[in-house]
Amino acid sequence: MADQSFQTLGEFIIDKQEDFLYSTGELSRLLSAIRLASKVVNRQVNKAGIANIIGKVGSSNIQGEEQQKLDVLANDIFIEALSQREVVCGIASEENDDFITVRTGPNAHLSKYVVLIDPLDGSSNIDVNVSVGTIFSIYRRVSEPGTPVILEDFLQKGVNQAAAGYVVYGSSTMIVYTTGNGVNGFTLDPSLGTYYLSHPSMKFPENGKIYSINEGNYIKFPQGVKDYLKYCQKEEDDRPYTARYIGSLVSDFHRNMIKGGIYIYPSTAQSPNGKLRLLYECNPMALLTEQAGGKCTDGFQRILEIEPTELHQRVPFFCGNTKMVEEAEEFMKNAQ
Ligand code: AHM
Ligand code: MG
């Protein structure tokens, strides 16, 4: 018990508010709404097996992927928590075709923030009790406060993010986030319902030995990725590396940030832009990566510099220890 941290996420958010000049506390309220929603989703994820919320709802999302019941529930919970508290003026979700304009209450549209969210990433893992996550990304709107949000408020480069983070519903539940001053992780004490600071100033270790990729797709990968994988597997220096792939981006990322590794979801012959979405998955993970001393690219260019053109845009994704990502990039370049 002596090792228990007594700094709660709530206190941490308020303490850090002072880092921002002229802060009005709006971002703090927004992060608190995410904190609350994550606890509600956590409760649902934990009882998934007994609450008839496992399985599919019979509908598909905009990308034609089947929606799981918990996907839909988590989406509703986050949207409600964010819009009821009027801490955002707009929300875009991986589960919704279009962005939502937050209209309720006397302060309608007054917030300066928009949120982009993947409410339950890796949801195909729910049925088998494997960790899933929530990924979120926060921007200041570019349009005039007090007016309804517009598409351009959401289609911003990742470098513009005011904050980003994820929740991992794992063997313990954690929130990991950044407001651009490093990355901090908080673990939920389920008996108290409180998140405590457990992982201050998270950093990728300098060297990594884990590579995470769906190798079942090997035959469809670009030559540069195939060559890099052979390099990972070669017995030389500190190789072969270890393969670890959960198929749940948040969990794969979380492990790699702590232990050191690279996560790759490349383009394939059938999907030239890969699978992961730039706005809901790649940009928030890229900001966290860079804040934790890592590197995140599409194999050639920095993810955070990509100019988005549509809400559900996909992009190839290479993310992890700087050294490992640079090695992979070298193979990509040489195979051009
Ligand atoms: P989702 O948003 O539909 O859950 O898909 C994203 C997930 C990531 O969490 C994971 O890394 C990837 O898809 C796994 O894809 P695959 O099964 O093709 O390896
Ligand atoms: Mg997802």
Side-chain angles (χ1 to χ4, degrees), residues 5-13 15 186 195-198:
S5 150
F6 283 106
Q7 178 153 39
T8 69
L9 174 56
E11 289 162 352
F12 188 89
I13 291 172
D15 286 355
F186 301 81
Y195 283 103
Y196 289 95
L197 179 62
S198 52

Side-chain angles (χ1 to χ4, degrees), residues 158-176:
V159 278
N160 291 353
Q161 287 171 105
Y166 60 79
V167 186
V168 55
Y169 309 98
S171 45
S172 60
T173 293
M174 284 188 70
I175 284 194
V176 174

Side-chain angles (χ1 to χ4, degrees), residues 94-95 118 120-123 135 249 276-277 280-281:
E94 191 185 294
E95 297 300 325
D118 181 354
L120 209 62
D121 183 69
S123 53
I135 310 172
L249 173 62
L276 300 180
R277 293 79 173 171
Y280 311 108
E281 291 161 330

Side-chain angles (χ1 to χ4, degrees), residues 61 63 65-66 71 94-95 118 120-125 135 213-215 217 245-252 263 265 275-277 281 314:
N61 65 12
Q63 288 113 75
E65 295 153 344
E66 276 194 298
D71 275 354
E94 191 185 294
E95 297 300 325
D118 181 354
L120 209 62
D121 183 69
S123 53
S124 62
N125 283 315
I135 310 172
I213 187 166
N214 186 344
E215 234 172 317
N217 292 328
Y245 190 72
I246 300 169
S248 212
L249 173 62
V250 172
S251 315
D252 279 310
Y263 175 98
Y265 209 108
K275 175 182 184 189
L276 300 180
R277 293 79 173 171
E281 291 161 330
R314 296 172 196 262

Side-chain angles (χ1 to χ4, degrees), residues 197-228:
L197 179 62
S198 52
H199 295 63
S201 303
M202 297 177 82
K203 289 270 176 232
F204 278 91
E206 207 182 313
N207 295 305
K209 286 199 69 168
I210 297 172
Y211 69 100
S212 311
I213 187 166
N214 186 344
E215 234 172 317
N217 292 328
Y218 184 86
I219 202 78
K220 306 183 213 162
F221 287 157
Q223 192 55 44
V225 173
K226 287 181 176 167
D227 294 344
Y228 176 64

